[in-house]
Amino acid sequence: MKGKHIVLGISGGIAAYKAAYLLRLFMKAGAEVQVVMTPNGREFITPATLAALSGRPVVSEFFAANTGEWHSHVDLGLWADVMVVAPATACTIGKMVTGVADNMLVTTYLSAKEKVMVAPAMDLDMWAHPSTQRNVAILRADGVEIIEPGSGELASHLVGKGRMAEPEEIFRAVKKYFDRSRDLEGKSVLVTAGPTYENIDPVRFVGNWSSGKMGLALAEALAARGAEVKLVAGPMAKSEAIPGVERIDVVSAREMLDACLNVWNGCDAGIMAAAVADYAPVNAAQSKIKREGVDEITLTLRRNPDIAATLGCIKGDRMLVGFALETENGVENASGKLERKNLDMIVLNSLSDPEAGFCKDTNKITIITREEAPRCYPAKSKREVADDIVDAMTALWEGK
Ligand code: CTP
C-alpha cells in the first residue's frame, strides 16, 4: 500500500469514530490518506483528530471560509487510487446513487476515476429497508464494492445487521484490491463475449439475448490487473475502448471460432463467456426470403462447432474457463461440461435466479473446479463478479 493515494470519506454515523482506526491502519501501511467529511460526519469525530493522524487538513467544505480557496473535488477524485467511504450512512449512499452532489464527499465520489469501496453503517431497520437495499444494489451495479456491515449490538442498543465492518476488515478489503492490481502483467488472456448471430438471410438471424456485459466486465477486470486481453466479441453494443483490450468483432459462431483459433496460440488463458448459438441455418439464403404466398417455412439447423471444447482439446497446460447457464441440475450439468470441454474451471449461473441472467447488471455465480467443492458467491455487480472469477483463476494458476 506504500505510496498509494486513499481518499477516506466519512459521513455522519456513530461508527465515524472507527474511521480514525482505519486511517491509522492505512498510514501504518505507508499510504497517503486524504480525509473528506460530510458536515454531519464532523459531529461524530473532529477534523483535528483526523488531520493530525493523516498529516493533511481535512476537506469538508467546498470553499475555505477565510480565504475563499476552492477545494477541487475533481483533483481529489483524480488523485485517489481508491476512495473508501466508511462509515457510509443511508443518506450518503442515497446521494451517491442519485448524484445529489451537495457536499464534498459526494462530489469527490462523482469525480473518482478508480475503485470506490463503501462500508455501510446504520440501524438494522434502515439497512433492511427496501430503499437502502435498492440503493446498495444500484451502487453495486455501478461497480462500487460494498463491504457488508456486520451483525451485533447497534448504537440504538437493538441487535441486528447494520454495524460497520471492523476497520481491520475494511483495511483487508482495500489491501486485497491493491495486491491484485497488476498481478497479471505479462499474461495474455482470450475472452469471448456476447451472443453469436447465425444468418437465415441477409436481414434475419437466429440469436439469443446475451448482452455481453459479463464478458466486457471480465475484459475490464483482466486489463485492470495488467493482462493483455484479446476480446472476441459477438454482436453487442460498442463500448468505449478499454486500455489493454484488443477487441475483435465477429458475428457468427464460425467466425468466433476462427478468431479464437487465430489468437489462442499466443494466449496463456481463455475465458469463454460468449453465449454461442448452438445451431445455425444449414443454408443461409443469399437474398431476402419473401413472404408473399408462403404460409409456412421450415428452417433446418446444423450444430455449430463448440469453441470451448475445440480450444480445450489443444490447450496443453493453458488455463481454460467456461460458463454454464442452467435452468436445472446446475452443479451436475456444469461439472459435466467441465469434463467434456476439458476446462479447468466453470462458472455456473442460473436463469432462475432473479439477480442473474441476460442483460442484468448483476450476477450470482457458483465456481466449480476439480480441486475444490463448488463455491457459491452472493449476488454482485458483473464487474465484482469478474474480479471474483479472475481471483479464482489466478489462485488456480498459482496452485498448478
Ligand atoms: N460454448 C462454446 N461454443 C459453443 C457452445 C458453448 O464455446 N458452441 C461455451 C460457452 O461459451 C460456455 C460453455 O461452452 O463457456 C458452456 O455453454 P452452454 O451454452 O452452457 O453449454 P452448451 O455446451 O451449449 O450446452 P447446452 O446448451 O446443451 O446446455
Side-chain angles (χ1 to χ4, degrees):
M1 227 181 258
K2 204 165 167 31
K4 293 290 185 196
H5 295 169
I6 300 175
V7 166
L8 176 58
I10 301 177
S11 61
I14 187 72
Y17 80 91
K18 289 190 185 172
Y21 293 94
L22 178 60
L23 172 53
R24 282 288 295 146
L25 292 172
F26 288 149
M27 297 299 293
K28 272 193 183 162
E32 291 180 41
V33 185
Q34 174 63 60
V35 175
V36 180
M37 302 179 85
T38 64
N40 280 342
R42 285 188 314 205
E43 303 291 330
F44 289 91
I45 183 166
T46 71
T49 304
L50 300 161
L53 289 175
S54 65
R56 290 167 175 269
V58 165
V59 172
S60 135
E61 305 288 347
F62 287 112
F63 299 97
N66 47 352
T67 61
E69 184 199 353
W70 181 54
H71 293 137
S72 170
H73 54 87
V74 178
D75 289 349
L76 260 184
L78 294 176
W79 178 84
D81 295 312
V82 73
M83 178 172 182
V84 182
V85 185
T89 59
C91 173
T92 289
I93 290 173
K95 287 183 178 180
M96 289 169 76
V97 165
T98 47
V100 176
D102 66 348
N103 63 44
M104 273 302 286
L105 191 155
V106 181
T107 44
T108 304
Y109 164 65
L110 294 180
S111 299
K113 287 272 175 286
E114 299 293 335
K115 183 82 172 169
V116 179
M117 297 166 123
V118 160
M122 63 198 75
D123 216 52
L124 73 165
D125 295 324
M126 292 176 82
W127 174 250
H129 197 279
S131 160
T132 309
Q133 290 304 311
R134 206 165 41 237
N135 284 340
V136 167
I138 294 172
L139 275 192
R140 276 208 174 97
D142 288 345
V144 171
E145 183 170 333
I146 306 293
I147 304 165
E148 286 278 318
S151 289
E153 189 177 351
L154 303 165
S156 59
H157 302 302
L158 295 171
V159 177
K161 188 167 179 180
R163 54 192 267 174
M164 188 176 83
E166 291 303 323
E168 290 76 11
E169 192 186 335
I170 301 172
F171 176 79
R172 275 198 300 276
V174 176
K175 185 167 178 327
K176 185 172 164 198
Y177 169 69
F178 283 129
D179 283 350
R180 65 187 176 198
S181 59
R182 315 307 294 173
D183 63 346
L184 293 178
E185 216 135 61
K187 300 274 191 208
S188 178
V189 184
L190 161 67
V191 178
T192 64
T196 64
Y197 288 175
E198 314 297 330
N199 274 356
I200 296 171
D201 69 9
V203 285
R204 305 172 182 99
F205 58 83
V206 177
N208 60 66
W209 290 111
S210 168
S211 62
K213 285 180 182 172
M214 194 62 244
L216 273 178
L218 277 161
E220 230 178 78
L222 289 160
R225 290 162 75 154
E228 188 191 305
V229 182
K230 311 273 184 209
L231 175 68
V232 177
M236 55 196 218
K238 273 270 174 206
S239 60
E240 273 177 39
I242 310 167
V245 177
E246 183 194 341
R247 178 163 164 167
I248 305 152
D249 285 304
V250 297
V251 176
S252 67
R254 289 236 152 240
E255 284 176 26
M256 188 172 269
L257 174 65
D258 290 345
C260 289
L261 287 173
N262 274 341
V263 297
W264 185 226
N265 267 344
C267 291
D268 302 290
I271 306 184
M272 308 283 99
V276 184
D278 289 323
Y279 293 89
V282 170
N283 286 315
Q286 294 308 306
S287 50
K288 190 180 172 197
I289 300 171
K290 304 299 282 180
R291 79 190 167 97
E292 197 58 35
V294 182
D295 288 337
E296 261 183 29
I297 181 166
T298 305
L299 275 182
T300 307
L301 304 175
R302 180 176 296 143
R303 200 143 81 145
N304 268 329
D306 189 317
I307 300 168
T310 309
L311 300 187
C313 268
I314 53 169
K315 81 179 185 71
D317 58 3
R318 282 171 288 182
M319 172 101 15
L320 193 59
V321 178
F323 275 75
L325 183 62
E326 305 293 343
T327 48
E328 53 201 354
N329 303 330
V331 172
E332 197 184 321
N333 285 338
S335 305
K337 287 177 188 172
L338 178 88
E339 292 306 331
R340 279 199 302 282
K341 300 181 192 233
N342 195 25
L343 307 171
D344 299 280
M345 184 173 121
I346 191 152
V347 181
L348 165 67
N349 37 59
S350 160
L351 255 192
S352 42
D353 241 318
E355 290 116 335
F358 294 131
C359 302
K360 300 259 168 67
D361 290 317
T362 53
N363 201 356
K364 198 170 164 201
I365 60 162
T366 301
I367 291 186
I368 301 169
T369 60
R370 287 188 189 80
E371 286 75 7
E372 282 176 22
R375 185 161 172 200
C376 305
Y377 292 72
K380 297 183 180 184
S381 72
K382 285 193 171 167
R383 184 60 174 78
E384 285 176 293
V385 170
D387 275 325
D388 286 340
I389 294 170
V390 178
D391 277 348
M393 190 179 99
T394 44
L396 206 57
W397 228 329
E398 280 157 18
K400 276 196 184 264

